[in-house]
Amino acid sequence: MSTIPPAQRRHRRIHPAWWVAAVAFIALLAAAGFRAAPGALMVPLHADFGWSMSSMSLAVSVNLLLYGLTAPFAAALMDRFGIRQVVAAALALVALGAGGSVLMTASWQLLIFWGVLIGLGTGSMALVFAATIADRWFIARRGLVMGILTAGSATGQLIFLPPVATIAESTGWKPASLLIGIAAMAAVPLVWFVLRDHPTDLGVLPYGAANASTDLATNFNDETELEGDTPTTAESAPTTPAERRGTDATRRAFAGLFFAARHRSFWALAIAFAICGATTNGLIGIHFIPSAHDHGMPASTAAGLLAVVGIFDIVGTVFSGWLTDKFDPRILLVAYYTFRGVGLLLLPWLLSDTVHPSMILFIVVYGLDWVATVPPTAALCREIFGENGTIVFGWVFAAHQIGAAVAAFGAGVVRDAFGEYTYAWWGGAAMCAIAAVLSFAVKRRLIDDRSQPAVAEAAR
């Protein structure tokens, strides 16, 4: 059994876990560069090539769909191939998709670069990446680290959107797209040289383990020392613990879905969260800038407003987590979806060629509400599905991205058909009313999964 000298732990000024978390934050921030880009690039692409909003929206929809469907299996990929290998490859895909898009000559190529490559890359670095870093490297401050890493995406939107929009408006969409590719590739060396799968790879315990029990530290070392072992079962079985964990993660992901799909509460949460994705990433995130441009507002100004959404997104998410600990999560969701629906209902009258106080109020409220739905939705998944709550939330998040994909494409079709986005905004408002009703209808009752052999078997 390997041991970690106490003197070595005492003399470290900064625990390596914090360096790992810092690089993970940078990686998430770099990957988020594209999440802010489509809305700013669609107008100049339309001007250069004459492509319709619906064709460009389809590429974004493919991106959002792959992002959501890849996310539940990201943990299995990281267990099977290693964290830094998966994250480095994901960033390279984002860079290839963004940088390679400057060579496009036909709209179908947008499906490859924006849709498939960037969708798979960002999906491999979904929320599970943040959870994996927090769970493996931290015992103390785990919640804080998870919150900081989750904010990386919002911070990326805040940092990238204004310069991307400004460059696209003044110089062209190609330099703006190259900026995103360069940022993603710049993070790869940091990821490769700093990220590791487990603390013992650097000869340390997780941060906070020094204050934990001796048994915990011993068990941690014993478990990680198994990395060289091989199973004695059939030859077709996985040959290393990493492969076994990857296989188990995939099996548990599907078992969790089959278990949850038998219960109405899952469908209520999934449909409501799909509407959440439709009314954030799908509608506002992709089409706010083109819609503002239709009303005479410069794209850089509209991009600045979306960046403000990113600021209040961070504040709203943290505050929502605090409220979730104190109030019924269903009531919070009803309030969030109601405020969002009212905002979308009024948006056609708020858009103009200049920024006025009512638009600022919309931006602040929508920013506070942007992902405030995440803490109460995750809490309900834990309350209802117990130890399978995290897996179930992964599939609920996949529904979020499916909703975003459908809305992103649908809003583009509406714009091409009617010459404006008004009916898309009103459709989003109607969906928010449905999400509010579904959220209130969720039953806060723990579901006993002991009668579900597939889940129990997968958990072993």
Side-chain angles (χ1 to χ4, degrees):
M1 182 183 72
S2 65
T3 59
I4 301 171
Q8 182 181 354
R9 294 198 301 268
R10 283 197 302 268
H11 287 100
R12 289 186 182 275
R13 293 180 180 273
I14 299 178
H15 194 284
W18 291 110
W19 294 113
V20 170
V23 171
F25 180 87
I26 293 172
L28 288 166
L29 187 150
F34 179 80
R35 308 235 63 80
L41 298 182
M42 288 171 73
V43 172
L45 277 170
H46 174 72
D48 276 8
F49 296 104
W51 296 340
S52 66
M53 286 295 176
S54 57
S55 65
M56 292 185 287
S57 299
L58 179 60
V60 179
S61 296
V62 171
N63 172 281
L64 294 170
L65 186 62
L66 287 177
Y67 180 89
L69 295 179
T70 304
F73 304 99
L77 290 172
M78 291 179 186
D79 279 336
R80 176 65 178 85
F81 299 104
I83 293 177
R84 65 173 176 169
Q85 287 86 346
V86 171
V87 174
L91 288 169
L93 284 175
V94 172
L96 181 60
S101 66
V102 302
L103 304 176
M104 293 186 301
T105 57
S107 60
W108 66 266
Q109 295 166 353
L110 200 63
L111 294 172
I112 304 298
F113 289 110
W114 278 19
V116 176
L117 294 179
I118 298 180
L120 290 174
T122 53
S124 298
M125 292 178 59
L127 291 177
V128 70
F129 172 49
T132 300
I133 294 295
D135 290 346
R136 290 187 182 183
W137 283 86
F138 291 85
I139 292 177
R141 304 289 188 269
R142 183 176 289 169
L144 172 65
V145 171
M146 183 64 186
I148 293 173
L149 294 181
T150 302
S153 180
T155 306
Q157 175 178 317
L158 175 64
I159 291 175
F160 281 100
L161 186 51
V164 166
T166 300
I167 293 173
E169 193 173 40
S170 61
T171 307
W173 66 271
K174 289 184 178 181
S177 191
L178 285 174
L179 172 64
I180 298 168
I182 291 171
M185 281 305 298
V188 172
L190 280 174
V191 166
W192 192 260
F193 289 110
V194 177
L195 286 190
R196 293 294 184 274
D197 289 333
H198 298 281
T200 47
D201 294 340
L202 297 178
V204 299
L205 293 174
Y207 179 81
N211 297 324
S213 66
T214 303
D215 289 341
L216 174 63
T218 300
N219 291 339
F220 179 84
N221 285 324
D222 288 344
E223 181 179 332
T224 53
E225 279 184 347
L226 292 173
E227 290 297 330
D229 295 348
T230 56
T232 57
T233 55
E235 292 182 0
S236 60
T239 58
T240 69
E243 292 178 3
R244 289 196 298 271
R245 286 194 300 270
T247 303
D248 290 343
T250 303
R251 188 186 302 118
R252 289 195 66 194
F254 279 112
L257 173 62
F258 296 150
F259 163 60
R262 301 174 183 175
H263 304 282
R264 294 179 181 177
S265 291
F266 168 76
W267 291 108
L269 289 170
I271 294 172
F273 214 45
I275 292 173
C276 174
T279 51
T280 51
N281 300 97
L283 287 178
I284 296 296
I286 303 302
H287 293 285
F288 178 80
I289 294 177
S291 181
H293 184 269
D294 287 344
H295 287 77
M297 182 181 292
S300 57
T301 302
L305 291 175
L306 274 187
V308 175
V309 168
I311 295 175
F312 286 94
D313 170 23
I314 299 171
V315 176
T317 305
V318 174
F319 187 56
S320 178
W322 181 80
L323 290 175
T324 301
D325 291 334
K326 296 182 176 296
F327 300 100
D328 186 339
R330 298 174 302 173
I331 302 302
L332 295 177
L333 289 174
V334 170
Y336 297 155
Y337 287 124
T338 300
F339 277 115
R340 188 178 299 179
V342 171
L344 288 172
L345 186 65
L346 298 176
L347 184 57
W349 291 285
L350 300 179
L351 288 167
S352 69
D353 56 350
T354 59
V355 179
H356 46 81
S358 57
M359 174 55 70
I360 295 295
L361 179 61
F362 170 84
I363 289 297
V364 171
V365 172
Y366 222 87
L368 292 172
D369 199 305
W370 188 264
V371 289
T373 54
V374 171
T377 301
L380 286 171
C381 287
R382 288 194 302 269
E383 285 186 28
I384 297 170
F385 298 100
E387 65 180 15
N388 295 300
T390 302
I391 295 174
V392 173
F393 179 68
W395 288 107
V396 171
F397 176 75
H400 180 280
Q401 295 306 112
I402 292 172
V406 172
F409 177 64
V413 172
V414 168
R415 170 61 176 79
D416 288 338
F418 297 98
E420 61 180 7
Y421 283 100
T422 299
Y423 291 113
W425 304 136
W426 288 351
M431 288 191 294
C432 284
I434 296 173
V437 173
L438 289 172
S439 300
F440 188 75
V442 171
K443 302 296 184 182
R444 296 181 69 186
R445 182 177 66 249
L446 178 64
I447 296 175
D448 186 2
D449 64 357
R450 288 176 297 182
S451 62
Q452 309 294 332
V455 177
E457 176 65 25
R460 286 197 290 267

